[in-house]
Amino acid sequence: MESDSAPTAAAVLDAEVVEPAEIVASPTAFEIGPDSAAEPLPNVEALWRSPTELVIAENVRKTFDLDAHPDVRDSIKEFGVSIPILAERQPDGSLHVTEGQLRALIAADVGTTKVPVWVTDADPSIPENERRISRTLMQMNVNDRRVPMVEADRADGIALMLDLGASVTRVAKGLQRKRSEVKHNAAIAASPTARGLVDSSSYSLDQLAVIAEYETLGDTDAVEYLVQVPRSSFSYRAKQIAADRRETRARLEASMLYAALGFGVLTAEPDTSSTESQILPAELLETVDSRPVTEVLIAAHAHRWLVYVDVQENGQLLDTLTGELVDPDHVDWGTQGNNESQPAEGLRHADSVEYRDRWIPLYFLAAEQLSESGLRMRTSAQSEGATGSGRDEAEQAATQRDEARRERRRVRELNKRGLAAKERRVEFLGRLLSRRTPPPQAGQFVAESLAWESDLLGSFHAPRTALNLLGVSGFTTELVASIQSATASRSWVIVLGMVLGAFESRAGKDSWRYNDRGLHRYLRFLATVGEQLEFELVDVEQAAAGLIDFHDIDIDADVNLDTAAPAAA
């Protein structure tokens, strides 16, 4: 027996030596199992050997392609072989690999100089057929009984390394993964909900990262909503929520000024459609001497008033650098999108300005404050003591106000959905156009589109949109270069991308309200090819495709996470 100071296998491997290790298992020191008869274990040596010195013995796994395992290849190239290869020493001294042939072959292929080998001596007393049976049983059990790491544990491991100070780049390189995957896994590990779903295969890594982000922010409403939507519509719904959150933050920011002035801030526009409403719009009020209620008068008694800030989309034209208001009549709109063009005399370049949303205050007075405010209902709006005709007129006015409020909300809501749908659609187009071959329906779609619109590809913004969808960051010369090196099938994909880019360039967030036959054909084509790619048209896209009437879209059908009863902040 070896002395107590003999190195163990682990010690030999850690020392990174290439000489044979000492025998680490005594032939009589251990038994096979607690219930077995005393039986010595075989002699074992832990060695470092060149993979080219190893002989690949008979192996049950014969069908494989080393190039089909890039992750394993990259790992061995970066870290070497971590799990020892099992081998039997033959009477002639050669080492025959019995388990770990892929590791040995890949290590040799990538130029690894030394690999750890766990060596036993072949027992010549065992018949050859029995040895082959035992080896085959061992190989099949080793391959079939591997327990893969669950994704939740993988996420925890990535988060642990980052917490210990490893950079995202180091972890990504070490695991042969993209930096974005490492970041997503770290976020998932910090989210109990996302971590609990990661092994269900119900959501992609990107989708789970979105859930994790909202849970980290404490947005439980968003989390509860997203875990209920199907995978195919997850991206659209997530973008809807993101748009709602952006609008809520912008409204809050715009409301802070009014709160500082003493106004009560409403979180939702109140319903004033009833003549018995307890919240009165400022436009229905007047002074005792029949003068209109002005903003100056309202501001002088801000503590009595409530304000709701409503958004007017693209309601103001601003200088992109200074943020100053610009008169649209002072802009040469013919220069838009062309940096080299010179504006007409006295006008400015269109690319120096941009439309932005404008926040407009709507003022309301609580009915209980009316008597103390020194105001009254406008004479034409009074119904108390009026004839039936007067009451009808007041009710009609209230109905019209409600219809106008609902229409504003419909347009705003459908435009938000349209923007979310466009963002998701662009993501889908990127996936579709990354393929090597076009979908079967592409030829007919392209032919029909060009037959109906011969100038389609030259439409405004069409070339730039196509380049973006095809992943070309430069100009047309880069696109031509990619065409020249592409296969015939890939070239047809590029042609499809140019046509899709032309249509997408004119598909805006408000396309749901227009009757564009080209967009009808475009969106219906996407619906057809999307059946196998987890893409389907949402309601605003169906309206833009002419499949439904936008008036029939129920803007309250979905869970609107920002809708609440009007409340003063």
Side-chain angles (χ1 to χ4, degrees), residues 324-487:
E324 296 178 351
L325 284 170
V326 177
D327 187 339
D329 292 336
H330 295 167
V331 179
D332 184 350
W333 295 106
T335 61
Q336 189 171 19
N338 188 348
N339 293 330
E340 298 180 356
S341 62
Q342 295 297 320
E345 185 177 355
L347 301 179
R348 60 188 299 164
H349 199 288
D351 290 347
S352 69
V353 298
E354 64 179 355
Y355 278 103
R356 296 180 187 172
D357 293 343
R358 177 187 177 196
W359 293 96
I360 302 173
L362 305 178
Y363 298 103
F364 301 88
L365 185 70
E368 62 186 22
Q369 292 279 345
L370 182 59
S371 59
E372 299 179 6
S373 67
L375 304 175
R376 66 184 184 186
M377 298 292 291
R378 279 200 341 249
T379 304
S380 59
Q382 294 184 45
S383 60
E384 185 175 352
T387 63
S389 175
R391 285 193 296 271
D392 291 342
E393 184 178 335
E395 291 175 358
Q396 183 179 4
T399 300
Q400 291 175 346
R401 289 195 307 275
D402 183 58
E403 290 177 352
R405 178 182 65 85
R406 288 180 177 274
E407 183 60 23
R408 290 197 307 273
R409 179 170 175 253
R410 172 175 292 278
V411 171
R412 185 170 63 248
E413 178 62 29
L414 294 187
N415 278 351
K416 283 196 299 184
R417 296 188 189 189
L419 182 59
K422 183 176 181 67
E423 291 175 354
R424 181 200 64 144
R425 194 168 59 247
V426 168
E427 290 178 354
F428 168 71
L429 290 172
R431 289 191 287 122
L432 177 65
L433 296 175
S434 66
R435 295 154 59 106
R436 296 181 179 178
T437 59
Q441 307 88 341
Q444 181 178 353
F445 165 71
V446 169
E448 286 187 7
S449 298
L450 295 178
W452 283 111
E453 302 181 52
S454 59
D455 59 347
L456 176 65
L457 299 184
S459 56
F460 190 55
H461 286 318
R464 172 46 54 190
T465 303
L467 291 175
N468 291 337
L469 293 178
L470 289 165
V472 178
S473 58
F475 298 95
T476 303
T477 52
E478 282 78 5
L479 177 62
V480 172
S482 68
I483 294 173
Q484 292 173 343
S485 62
T487 63

Side-chain angles (χ1 to χ4, degrees), residues 174-239:
L175 297 179
Q176 297 82 50
R177 298 206 171 205
K178 297 178 180 178
R179 285 171 50 87
S180 59
E181 292 183 38
V182 171
K183 292 179 180 179
H184 288 346
N185 271 283
I188 290 168
S191 164
T193 300
R195 189 183 183 281
L197 294 170
V198 70
D199 286 292
S200 68
S201 300
S202 300
Y203 302 93
S204 69
L205 198 65
D206 290 343
Q207 292 170 344
L208 289 170
V210 173
I211 293 175
E213 180 181 3
Y214 281 119
E215 186 157 41
T216 300
L217 293 173
D219 194 338
T220 56
D221 288 339
V223 173
E224 291 175 3
Y225 180 49
L226 288 173
V227 297
Q228 298 177 38
V229 301
R231 178 168 177 159
S232 60
S233 61
F234 184 97
S235 176
Y236 169 64
R237 299 304 181 188
K239 293 182 185 302

